[in-house]
């Protein structure tokens, strides 16, 4: 069998964070792939919600985005934002918010709005991206939040350029911040799985992917990462995981690369 | 019963400069392209646009200089790219952008639709989304308050009641009853919050279709002012069960919109350089291209 790719390790690590019976609001890309894999393996009772108003879709062609009709296919319910983000997420019944991000910092604050290029000290040029859309709502209200993204020093800075979606802002607890949702739980990258320290609420290494050293992860992170003495390896995808990903879920490798 | 069918040009003549228009599209799906084009041809100015997730229609209107304020949750052209004209206008300050979240825009419309003047929400708290709104033009739309019953902190959103709501639908009748196939994002709250509802319909069907399935009517006729019948009216964005997005044309647009000059060139060539939507469709490939985009009746795309 063909060698395991990083995106496949990420998708499988994402899937393993989801438990059977849970309700997940899922963003497009690897979060969607991870969710579909979980439903086909250990979590057949998982419910996936898309913010635009799609419940448990079963696409047979790979969609290019959340607005692509391909992702409406095989759904059990079509509604809208008011139902998904309102009467599910805001109501408090969403277990997991599964998101991508432009930047994420040591306290799990997410930026999807803008980046600042420092031209001269004190003077910066702003470049805009997609903004929040449902991201802030999901990060504010889901019981736990999982973020999946590339591991680069500039994407994991000590503090994000703009807090689009709050994590543990300033290291404070979610209750102190006035937020209902439980906050960031995992950051899944192409190098490691990160979690958050229970007291300091800072990002820490949970596992490193096979072939990656803890030092490498630290070198590619914009803040000091806490790590225990013995960091386990992220488990490799099983042959069945790989078969499902490659043959059924993303045969055109739109997301798996 | 009144026949509410009108042309896009006739509808746009009734929308004044400075109007607040809510757009019913989402990224690359069901964008109100035919009316956006006509607003550009008739050179409307100083519009406020609102929407949960911006798409091509917003990007075109901003690129053409028709807009001075946005109230939006976010925006993209999915994997085709960013809303480049909008982002450029935000970066230069040409457009004032009140950047909300999807749910907070939807709640603001819901309050508007219910006729209540504000609504509490539990998102945006502890974020710079909230702080930027409070610092800028959003200040008149945002307050913070503790719940008088539980003491829990909330953000209060002022209701939004747009002057006009434009919604692209699959089917309508001449009176303005309509069905939306596929997910409906914020279409219902947005339309019902507005003072005037204008539909753009792919197909006009007899009222008996609605009488046979009344539960599927999302916006009933008595709220609707006008219906524009325009097949392929959302091109190059998709309409579920009617046609797919036009990947080639979206790529062409994204490439041109990288620069202000390129965006202007696109707008001059495809919008100002065409008399109406029929001429636009001819220019982008005509019947042969439309046939290729037509949805498979089972798959819906």
């Amino acid at each position: 069998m063909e060698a395991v790719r990083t995106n496949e390790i990420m998708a499988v690590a994402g899937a393993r964070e989801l438990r059977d019976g849970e309700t997940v609001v899922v963003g497009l890309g690897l979060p969607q792939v991870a969710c579909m894999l979980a439903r086909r393996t250990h979590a057949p009772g998982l419910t996936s919600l898309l913010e635009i108003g799609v419940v448990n879709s079963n696409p047979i062609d790979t969609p290019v985005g959340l607005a692509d009709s391909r992702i409406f296919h095989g759904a059990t319910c079509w509604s809208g934002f008011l139902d998904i983000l309102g009467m599910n997420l805001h109501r408090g019944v969403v277990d997991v918010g599964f998101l991508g991000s432009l930047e994420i910092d040591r306290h799990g604050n997410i930026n999807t709005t803008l980046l600042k290029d420092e031209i001269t000290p004190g003077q910066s040029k702003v470049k805009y991206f997609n903004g929040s859309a449902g991201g802030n709502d999901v990060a504010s209200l889901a019981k736990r939040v999982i973020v999946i993204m590339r591991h680069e020093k500039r994407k994991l800075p000590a503090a994000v350029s703009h807090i689009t979606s709050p994590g543990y802002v300033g290291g404070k607890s979610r209750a102190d911040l006035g937020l209902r949702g439980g906050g960031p739980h995992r950051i899944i990258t192409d190098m490691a799985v990160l979690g958050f320290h229970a007291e300091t609420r800072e990002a820490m290494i949970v596992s490193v992917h096979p072939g990656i050293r803890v030092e490498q992860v630290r070198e590619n992170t914009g803040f000091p990462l806490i790590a225990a003495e013995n960091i386990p390896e992220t488990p490799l995808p099983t042959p069945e995981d790989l078969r499902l990903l490659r043959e059924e879920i993303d045969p055109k490798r739109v997301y798996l690369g | 019963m009144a026949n509410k069918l009108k042309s896009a040009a006739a509808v746009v003549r009734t929308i004044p400069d400075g109007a607040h228009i809510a757009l019913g599209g989402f990224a690359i799906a069901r964008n109100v392209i035919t009316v956006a084009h006509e607003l550009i041809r008739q050179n409307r100015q100083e519009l406020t646009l609102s929407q949960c997730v911006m798409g091509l229609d917003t990007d075109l209107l901003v690129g053409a200089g028709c807009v001075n304020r946005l109230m939006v949750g976010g925006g993209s052209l999915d994997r085709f790219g960013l809303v480049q004209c909008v982002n450029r206008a935000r970066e230069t300050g040409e457009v004032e952008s009140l950047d909300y979240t999807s749910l907070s825009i939807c709640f603001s419309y819901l309050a508007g639709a219910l006729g209540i003047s504000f609504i509490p929400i539990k998102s945006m708290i502890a974020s710079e989304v909230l702080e930027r709104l409070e610092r800028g033009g959003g200040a008149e739309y945002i307050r913070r308050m503790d719940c008088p019953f539980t003491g829990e902190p909330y953000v209060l959103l002022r209701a939004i009641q747009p002057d006009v709501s434009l919604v692209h639908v699959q089917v309508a009748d001449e009176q303005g009853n309509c069905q939306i196939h596929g997910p409906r994002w914020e279409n219902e709250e947005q339309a019902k919050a507005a003072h005037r509802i204008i539909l753009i319909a792919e197909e006009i069907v007899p009222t008996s279709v609605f009488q046979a399935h009344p539960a599927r009517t999302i916006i009933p006729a008595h709220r609707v002012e006008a219906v524009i019948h325009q097949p392929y009216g959302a091109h190059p964005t998709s309409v579920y069960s009617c046609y797919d997005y036009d990947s080639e044309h979206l790529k062409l647009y994204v490439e041109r919109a990288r620069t202000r000059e390129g965006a202007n060139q696109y707008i001059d060539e495809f919008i100002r350089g065409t008399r109406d939507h029929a001429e636009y469709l001819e220019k982008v490939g005509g019947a042969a291209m439309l046939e290729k985009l037509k949805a498979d009746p089972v798959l819906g795309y």
Side-chain angles (χ1 to χ4, degrees):
Chain A
M1 191 181 265
E2 194 192 325
V4 179
R5 297 185 189 205
T6 312
N7 282 11
E8 291 169 337
I9 298 176
M10 290 166 80
V12 170
R16 287 178 186 155
E17 292 292 335
L18 305 172
R19 300 171 205 140
D20 197 19
E22 288 190 318
T23 300
V24 187
V25 171
V26 62
L28 202 86
L30 282 178
Q32 169 77 6
V33 171
C35 201
M36 287 170 69
L37 180 64
R39 282 174 66 191
R40 281 170 162 82
T41 53
H42 66 280
L46 197 71
T47 299
S48 80
L49 309 177
L50 304 178
E51 67 172 53
I52 54 169
V54 176
V55 180
N56 277 340
S57 76
N58 282 289
I60 51 172
D61 294 302
T62 314
V64 298
L66 220 49
D68 189 333
S69 306
R70 284 157 189 76
I71 210 165
F72 307 166
H73 187 82
T76 51
C77 175
W78 285 331
S79 57
F81 289 112
L82 186 62
D83 176 43
I84 304 295
L85 297 183
M87 299 182 196
N88 281 280
L89 182 72
H90 204 272
R91 176 68 183 83
V93 301
V94 170
D95 299 294
V96 182
F98 206 153
L99 304 168
S101 183
L102 195 60
E103 285 185 321
I104 189 162
D105 67 22
R106 66 196 303 173
H107 290 128
N109 299 308
I110 294 170
N111 173 24
T112 53
T113 301
L114 57 85
L115 292 177
K116 288 174 187 161
D117 268 343
E118 194 123 337
I119 315 166
T120 52
Q123 220 191 352
S124 59
K125 190 180 180 306
V126 172
K127 187 170 163 38
Y128 278 83
F129 290 83
N130 292 350
S132 163
N136 171 287
D137 306 305
V138 171
S140 299
L141 291 154
K143 289 179 193 165
R144 64 182 197 278
V145 174
I146 302 171
V147 174
I148 202 158
M149 64 188 291
R150 297 263 144 223
H151 205 128
E152 291 171 37
K153 201 162 192 161
R154 63 186 181 96
K155 284 174 159 277
L156 287 105
V160 289
S161 309
H162 176 274
I163 302 178
T164 309
S165 308
Y168 307 105
V169 184
K172 288 187 190 154
S173 77
R174 299 281 290 187
D176 285 348
L177 293 167
L179 291 162
R180 275 190 193 161
H185 176 68
R186 290 284 183 268
I187 307 171
I188 296 166
T189 74
D190 49 344
M191 303 185 100
V193 175
L194 310 181
F196 290 85
H197 192 274
E199 278 141 42
T200 65
R201 304 182 187 91
E202 284 179 86
M204 54 187 271
I205 304 176
V206 172
S207 69
V208 290
H209 301 342
I212 305 281
R213 288 172 295 107
V214 171
E215 267 326 294
Q216 259 176 293
V217 180
R218 285 204 167 112
E219 281 161 18
N220 285 284
T221 305
F223 53 87
L225 265 177
I226 327 161
E229 290 260 318
N230 294 306
I231 301 288
E233 266 197 359
T234 312
L236 277 170
T238 65
E240 178 62 1
D241 288 334
L242 292 177
R243 190 194 66 78
L244 288 166
L245 288 173
R246 292 171 182 182
E247 290 173 22
E248 292 185 18
I249 297 170
D250 187 15
K252 287 185 190 156
R253 296 195 162 280
V254 175
Y255 301 104
L256 292 175
Chain B
M1 279 296 209
N3 180 331
K4 295 176 185 171
L5 288 179
K6 276 191 178 176
S7 71
V11 165
V12 168
R13 280 195 290 275
T14 70
I15 300 176
D17 285 349
H20 176 159
I21 307 177
L23 303 181
F26 179 111
I28 54 165
R30 282 199 292 109
N31 280 207
V32 292
I33 297 295
T34 183
V35 180
H37 281 186
E38 199 51 39
L39 286 161
I40 293 169
R41 288 191 195 102
Q42 294 190 29
N43 199 27
R44 283 296 166 278
Q45 296 287 303
E46 298 184 353
L47 300 174
T48 290
L49 302 182
S50 65
Q51 195 169 22
C52 284
V53 177
M54 295 178 284
L56 178 65
D57 44 12
T58 324
D59 208 45
L60 288 170
L61 284 162
V62 170
C66 303
V67 181
N68 69 358
R69 188 159 72 160
L70 296 168
M71 301 174 78
V72 294
S76 87
L77 302 179
D78 273 344
R79 279 173 89 88
F80 292 98
L82 302 168
V83 280
Q84 299 175 105
C85 293
V86 167
N87 287 350
R88 208 160 28 238
R90 282 166 159 168
E91 283 153 19
T92 58
E94 286 159 78
V95 164
E96 180 189 21
S97 185
L98 310 190
D99 299 320
Y100 285 67
T101 70
S102 291
L103 186 63
S104 52
I105 289 283
C106 180
F107 269 24
S108 302
Y109 286 139
L110 176 66
L114 293 171
I116 53 180
S117 51
F118 71 92
I119 188 167
I121 191 167
K122 283 298 291 180
S123 39
M124 297 163 102
I125 293 166
S127 76
E128 283 181 79
V129 172
L130 178 60
E131 286 166 22
R132 282 173 72 226
L133 283 169
E134 288 177 329
R135 272 204 311 271
E140 56 177 310
Y141 292 94
I142 297 281
R143 292 288 182 276
R144 300 189 197 207
M145 192 186 152
D146 292 340
C147 170
F149 301 102
T150 64
E152 195 183 357
Y154 278 90
V155 170
L156 304 186
L157 304 163
R158 192 171 196 164
I160 298 180
Q161 292 187 329
D163 296 313
V164 184
S165 170
L166 303 171
V167 188
H168 194 103
V169 303
Q170 285 88 352
V171 288
D173 66 7
E174 290 176 350
Q175 300 168 33
N177 291 299
C178 76
Q179 292 180 351
I180 296 173
H181 302 159
R184 301 180 291 276
W185 32 99
E186 79 274 25
N187 284 163
E188 184 176 3
E189 297 77 36
Q190 176 185 58
K192 290 176 180 173
H195 295 288
R196 303 169 58 193
I197 302 174
I198 312 285
L199 304 178
I200 305 95
E202 288 291 326
E203 193 187 351
I204 302 298
V205 298
T207 302
S208 58
V209 169
F210 296 90
Q211 289 166 324
H213 303 284
R216 292 189 198 162
T217 307
I218 300 301
I219 305 165
H222 71 283
R223 299 294 305 277
V224 174
E225 176 184 304
V227 182
I228 298 165
H229 179 210
Q230 183 57 67
Y232 290 95
H235 177 276
T237 70
S238 66
V239 175
Y240 180 77
S241 80
C242 294
Y243 47 91
D244 205 357
Y245 48 83
D246 184 342
S247 295
E248 292 313 308
H249 194 78
L250 284 169
K251 282 180 201 159
L252 177 148
Y253 175 75
V254 168
E255 194 47 47
R256 297 268 186 102
R258 276 184 212 292
T259 63
R260 185 185 294 268
E261 296 69 35
N264 287 339
Q265 203 184 49
Y266 176 94
I267 290 163
D268 284 342
E269 183 180 346
F270 290 100
I271 305 174
R272 293 201 178 103
T274 57
R275 214 176 323 134
D276 53 23
H277 204 76
E279 214 176 284
Y280 160 79
L281 290 176
E282 209 43 59
K283 191 170 181 63
V284 295
M289 176 276 300
L290 300 179
E291 189 55 36
K292 275 195 281 183
L293 297 178
K294 207 168 185 177
D296 175 285
V298 176
L299 294 173
Y301 53 84

